[in-house]
Amino acid sequence: MLVLGIESSCDETGVALVQCGDTPQPQLLAHALHSQVAMHHAFGGVVPELASRDHIRRVVPLAREVLERARLELGDVDLVAYTRGPGLAGALLVGAGVACGLGAALQRPLLGVHHLEGHLLSAFLSSDPPQFPFVALLVSGGHTQLMYARGVGDYALLGETIDDAAGEAFDKSAKLLGLGYPGGPALAHLAQRGDAAGFALPRPMLHTPDLDFSFAGLKTAVLTQVRRKEGSACDAWRADLAAATQEAIVDVLVSKSMRALRDTGLSRLVVAGGVGANSRLRERLDAACSRARTRVHYPELPLCSDNGAMIALAAAMRVEAGVASPRRDLTFDVKPRWAMHELNSTEDHGSAA
Ligand code: KG4
Ligand code: ZN
């Protein structure tokens, strides 16, 4: 089965082709991405209307590009998958609308995919794919969650952030340090030159017995440091503060992930989402998992942040596992707000036959 996946939930247009069924592992044949970061940069964050309009401009050329790279034609596609939610309503509608149009023109079925399920499954496209069951640490721009993943479409929420997501903590702290949007990668880059011991920043909920997170207090602590230094911050000072911020976020993520493994008795951790690209997080998780004799899996770096491959993959895995049946009628909807734990193996999301 050849799946064309379209991702358009936020500020990245992603299109990909995934082949499954012929080999034990799904194969990524091609993927292409257009990031809107430069366009939104001037505004310090994503402007939803601009995002939607840009998705409209990009999605068809990107689809052509992946088909050319894979030396395939539209008629070869068996299933058209799109991100159904969560995300920006207008942006989601672009991907859903194009998917529906393609489905109609090609007379192929459609499947709407949960964006976070896409992230959660993206490690299955890596050279070291995981096996169920596992604990998933989902760390994206808007979500920080620990999930118990029993199988495709069978996820239980173990804990989540009660305020800001880890990605938000990176982005907001980066903004305070004058690093622009989205600040996570820039803060991580600056942190490489800094000394994390230079500041004692809070690690909210580090020792609570639950699996929840809180990052809002960290941003306030960074703001306090920045205000104190107003106007006289040198590069070395900013690098130290970046390193300390990163270390505080990573400390909490590692500690709660290890607690989730202990609490569930599982011996496999899968990291997913944009923050999963952070090298300090990977280094610390590798060390903690090796001490605990636990396996840890990551998506390939380009597949940590939003992309079409994870959407095509999730659709393929849902169909193969029999938890979703693609729809053949020409209606679609999007779910801008959609909790991941609402997914379960019996429900048929965006996929009424
Ligand atoms: O999963 P993602 O691409 O989009 C969402 O679904 O939200 O995650 C984006 C988030 C942003 O907060 C971004 O700053 C963060 O991931 N991020 C990073 C790194 N790369 C992306 N945070 C820290 N270190 C990185 N290397
Ligand atoms: Zn995402």
Side-chain angles (χ1 to χ4, degrees):
M1 176 171 56
L2 180 68
V3 185
L4 177 75
I6 300 175
E7 155 63 30
S8 70
S9 65
C10 189
D11 57 353
E12 251 123 23
T13 322
V15 182
L17 286 166
V18 165
Q19 180 85 50
C20 66
D22 308 333
T23 51
Q25 282 299 123
Q27 303 292 316
L28 176 59
L29 302 185
H31 80 113
L33 194 76
H34 176 77
S35 168
Q36 302 177 353
V37 162
M39 185 180 77
H40 297 296
H41 193 267
F43 304 95
V46 179
V47 183
E49 182 59 25
L50 293 183
S52 311
R53 290 175 189 213
D54 202 56
H55 286 308
I56 292 173
R57 277 193 289 273
R58 309 290 175 180
V59 65
V60 172
L62 288 173
R64 281 206 189 99
E65 192 179 324
V66 292
L67 285 163
E68 263 169 39
R69 274 200 229 157
R71 296 177 193 279
L72 290 167
E73 292 177 6
L74 260 185
D76 296 323
V77 171
D78 299 303
L79 172 69
V80 186
Y82 62 93
T83 306
R84 188 184 181 207
L88 301 170
L92 289 167
L93 278 168
V94 174
V98 169
C100 189
L102 283 174
L106 300 170
Q107 299 199 315
R108 296 290 190 277
L110 296 180
L111 191 65
V113 170
H114 194 293
H115 179 85
L116 292 180
E117 185 177 32
H119 276 303
L120 187 144
L121 297 175
S122 53
F124 283 90
L125 283 174
S126 73
S127 53
D128 177 28
Q131 281 167 359
F132 289 107
F134 53 78
V135 169
L137 172 67
L138 274 175
V139 272
S140 67
H143 294 82
T144 299
Q145 298 183 327
L146 281 161
M147 314 280 305
Y148 190 126
R150 287 188 201 89
V152 178
D154 191 356
Y155 317 115
L157 183 69
L158 297 169
E160 63 183 334
T161 181
I162 59 166
D163 42 51
D164 288 353
E168 249 172 311
F170 268 106
D171 293 342
K172 288 178 177 174
S173 304
K175 206 168 190 173
L176 292 170
L177 282 164
L179 297 173
Y181 147 87
L187 189 144
H189 188 69
L190 181 61
Q192 285 173 358
R193 291 189 271 123
D195 176 7
F199 295 89
L201 296 179
R203 277 124 172 95
M205 301 184 72
L206 181 65
H207 298 297
T208 55
D210 51 50
L211 295 171
D212 291 332
F213 305 85
S214 164
F215 290 107
L218 179 61
K219 165 197 66 196
T220 312
V222 173
L223 175 65
T224 307
Q225 296 296 339
V226 169
R227 285 219 174 117
R228 212 177 269 169
K229 201 74 181 173
E230 205 98 59
S232 60
C234 64
D235 258 10
W237 182 89
R238 288 165 69 246
D240 286 352
L241 186 52
T245 305
Q246 174 174 265
E247 207 61 21
I249 298 169
V250 167
D251 260 357
V252 183
L253 293 176
V254 172
S255 164
K256 293 276 170 158
S257 301
M258 300 316 289
R259 182 188 286 273
L261 288 164
R262 284 196 302 275
D263 288 2
T264 55
L266 294 176
S267 55
R268 216 177 266 278
L269 177 69
V270 173
V271 183
V275 180
N278 185 273
S279 49
R280 183 64 182 149
L281 176 65
R282 288 185 174 215
E283 188 182 27
R284 293 276 312 276
L285 280 176
D286 284 346
C289 287
S290 137
R291 276 196 303 276
R293 297 179 193 284
T294 299
R295 294 290 313 276
V296 55
H297 301 260
Y298 308 95
E300 304 291 341
L301 273 180
L303 300 186
C304 280
S305 44
D306 294 349
N307 63 81
M310 68 185 198
I311 301 305
L313 173 78
M317 289 181 75
R318 284 185 77 78
V319 172
E320 290 223 311
V323 297
S325 33
R327 56 189 298 161
R328 288 188 174 271
D329 62 43
L330 292 183
T331 59
F332 61 88
D333 68 346
V334 294
K335 295 187 82 168
R337 295 173 72 85
W338 188 10
M340 170 121 179
H341 53 267
E342 284 173 31
L343 286 173
N344 65 57
S345 23
T346 51
E347 229 175 312
D348 211 6
H349 298 277
S351 54

